[in-house]
Structures are given as C-alpha cells and as structure tokens.
Amino acid sequence: MKRALISDIHSNLEALEAVLADIRAQGIEDIYCLGDVVGYGPNPRECIDQIMKCKVCLLGNHDQGALFDPEGFNTGAERAIFWTRDQLESTGDDPSAAHRRWDFLGVLPRNYQEGPYLFVHGSPRNPLNEYVFPEDIYNRRKMEKIFALIRGHSFQGHTHVPGVFTEDLRFFSPDEIGHQFKFGDAKTMVNVGSVGQPRDGDPRACYVVLDTEALTVTFHRVEYPLEQTVQKIYAVPELDNFLGDRLRDGR
Ligand code: ZN
C-alpha cells in the first residue's frame, strides 16, 4: 500500500497543487501531511482547504504559532505568522469556512503511529520543535536518544532538508541513494523534505512515497510555477521579499 507523505507547505498553493496533481497521477489516495501547512507564504486559507482532505495531518510549529503565541521565531517568520493569523481570523464573506479552518488547525495531533511507522513534524523526541539536521549524525548522544524512541521507522519534516538517517548514524541525501531507500531490519528516520519551501538547493517541491509492501521510500521532486508565488509574496507588505527570493534558489 502506498501513501504520499508531504510536509512544510507553508502557504505555497502553487507548489501544493503541483504536488497533489503528481500524487493523483500515480493513483495514490492516502496523503499524510506532517505539518506546517501555513507560515511564510501567501495562501494560508487555500492551502488549509486542500490539506483538510488529507487522511492524516499533524500540527507544525508554524501552525501552532498562528493558533497561539509564536515563540522562538525570527522577526520575518513572526511577522508572517501574525499576517497568517489575520488571514485566518478574518471571516470575510464566508464565516463558516473561517471557522472550519480554525477548528481544523485547533485539533491537529502532534504525532501519529501506524504499526512500525511513526509520523511527526520535528522529531520523535520533540514532535513539534526539535530539528534533526544532516550534521546531527555527529551528535551521537542526541541521535541515540531519538532513535531509542523509534519502533521501526519515523518520518518527519521541519528542516526542509530531505534524506534518510540510519541507526548507524549516517545520512543519505536523495541524490546519494538514487531517490529511493529500501528498509531493512535497522531503524531509520526519513525526512520527507518540504513542498512549499525546499532548502536543499533544489527549488522544486519535494515529497515522499512510502510503500509498505515493497518497504521502500521514494523521493519525488515536482516543478511548479514558483515565479507566481514569488510575485504574490512581494505584493504582501507583511511578507519579507526574502521569503520569495529564497524559493528561486531552494534555500
Ligand atoms: Zn517548516
């Protein structure tokens, strides 16, 4: 059975629509979203409306920031979060849609376990806020503590850097493994990358397909009309132009 795993959409509707079309084209129906539906980008409402159809959606730190008090964000990210909150609070001519979105975000879980598979936004140890970067393979204490919490395989986003961490403390970028990894007996931690703001130097939207029969994860990249997103970001004074510029470089 195949599931598509998406994360860190960050209100980028053009990227989300391109990814959803790519997933549909493969005949995959079950989509799990690992959080950060909003924050940074220009279309929070439209992205939530799409993500509400996913089978599973987890709470990300930016979703939490929009709902409650943003903590630990830099100035540009915080401004984007306050603007996002305004967008979600303004009921406009469709109050029931606004309530529906707010209620949806308000009850999102922080983790989801399905057999040997654990899904979180940040890390198994701190599902909402902890980053696990590729260079953390040199931080044995941290990685051993995190792997101890994993039963089989975990999936996360948050860093926007896709790849596979193995229990023997190695990290493989999608390029290094031909975009596919086959699970063995050892535990693994998979970062599914970011749909709406990739930061691994590839500006294309990123997502993963988990095949629980073949026991593989496959990394996918999808082109989208990112110049449209950039121009929308430029047009909103509360969103720093940098948030658009970085989409062009995937940084
Ligand atoms: Zn994020």
Side-chain angles (χ1 to χ4, degrees), residues 8 10 34-38 40 58-73 81 121-122 127-131 157-160:
D8 296 273
H10 287 296
L34 308 188
D36 277 3
V37 181
V38 301
Y40 296 134
L58 304 179
L59 184 72
N61 56 311
H62 284 257
D63 309 317
Q64 150 111 350
L67 278 165
F68 307 108
D69 281 322
E71 254 175 56
F73 293 96
I81 284 173
H121 178 67
L128 200 58
N129 284 308
E130 185 172 45
Y131 291 95
H158 197 36
T159 63
H160 303 203

Side-chain angles (χ1 to χ4, degrees), residues 77-192:
E78 193 180 89
R79 260 162 38 103
I81 284 173
F82 283 124
W83 177 81
T84 298
R85 183 185 294 179
D86 283 347
Q87 296 296 301
L88 298 180
E89 280 178 347
S90 74
T91 49
D93 48 9
D94 192 354
S96 73
H99 291 143
R100 218 167 37 239
R101 293 181 197 116
W102 202 253
D103 291 347
F104 170 75
L105 287 181
V107 297
L108 293 181
R110 286 161 190 247
N111 54 52
Y112 180 73
Q113 179 93 40
E114 197 172 62
Y117 305 110
L118 172 66
F119 304 89
V120 293
H121 178 67
S123 90
R125 181 165 66 171
N126 180 339
L128 200 58
N129 284 308
E130 185 172 45
Y131 291 95
V132 185
F133 283 106
E135 54 269 30
D136 282 324
I137 56 172
Y138 304 110
N139 188 343
R140 177 171 291 272
R141 245 180 96 81
K142 172 177 177 175
M143 295 301 274
E144 283 178 351
K145 285 200 163 147
I146 291 173
F147 267 110
L149 298 169
I150 299 172
R151 218 179 288 166
H153 310 285
S154 87
F155 299 87
Q156 63 213 40
H158 197 36
T159 63
H160 303 203
V161 180
V164 179
F165 297 89
T166 53
E167 210 180 353
D168 56 357
L169 302 192
R170 290 191 291 165
F171 174 80
F172 301 96
S173 71
D175 278 345
E176 288 169 328
I177 50 175
H179 306 274
Q180 192 171 73
F181 186 87
K182 183 153 172 71
F183 292 140
D185 293 331
K187 297 177 184 180
T188 51
M189 186 161 40
V190 178
N191 193 303
V192 305

Side-chain angles (χ1 to χ4, degrees), residues 5-10 12-20 23 33 36 47 51 160 192-198 203-208 221-222 224 247:
L5 312 179
I6 64 177
S7 189
D8 296 273
I9 290 90
H10 287 296
N12 184 336
L13 184 63
E14 288 75 24
L16 177 59
E17 286 180 336
V19 162
L20 293 177
I23 293 168
C33 174
D36 277 3
C47 286
I51 293 297
H160 303 203
V192 305
S194 169
V195 169
Q197 198 193 83
R204 294 175 298 170
C206 185
Y207 76 96
V208 154
R221 299 309 281 244
V222 186
Y224 73 95
L247 296 180

